[in-house]
Amino acid sequence: MAHSLSAKKRVRQNAESKRINRARKSQVKTRIKHFEAALSSGDVEAASEQYRLVARKLDKTAATSTMHKRTAARKKSRLAKRLNSLTTEKG
């Protein structure tokens, strides 16, 4: 257990940042699920709108260092690839 005041404060700060980071990651996962649902329905318009929302959420999460910026870029790239494959299928 932490003894000094600064160590106790650090424990409190870590707990709060953990809560915030987990919430952000959960929001990203939820957005990805919505995107995948739009992909599986085959609706290109809805899928592209969901992709836009996922990309925005990933960028915001990466900006706050909850997720590394390259991890966010990799996820966006993989999702864009799936969206493009749906677009070429329909086209």
Side-chain angles (χ1 to χ4, degrees):
M1 185 62 205
H3 292 293
S4 66
L5 288 176
S6 60
K8 289 177 181 176
K9 180 178 180 179
R10 208 60 218 154
V11 168
R12 290 195 308 270
Q13 289 175 330
N14 289 341
E16 180 66 13
S17 63
K18 179 181 177 182
R19 185 188 66 78
I20 292 169
N21 288 342
R22 288 180 76 165
R24 284 185 186 134
K25 287 180 184 178
S26 176
Q27 289 171 351
V28 167
K29 289 177 189 174
T30 303
R31 288 281 182 206
I32 290 173
K33 285 178 192 170
H34 291 315
F35 173 72
E36 289 172 346
L39 273 182
S40 61
S41 71
D43 187 3
V44 177
E45 291 297 319
S48 60
E49 176 63 20
Q50 287 300 321
Y51 174 75
R52 190 182 66 78
L53 294 172
V54 170
R56 183 174 180 198
K57 182 59 79 175
L58 282 168
D59 286 338
K60 285 188 170 193
T61 304
T64 57
S65 75
T66 297
M67 179 185 294
H68 196 275
K69 64 180 181 179
R70 290 193 181 133
T71 303
R74 187 172 61 247
K75 286 180 184 284
K76 285 189 337 187
S77 174
R78 289 175 181 169
L79 294 173
K81 187 189 281 189
R82 291 174 63 188
L83 178 63
N84 289 339
S85 68
L86 176 71
T87 307
T88 55
E89 262 179 32
K90 296 289 180 179

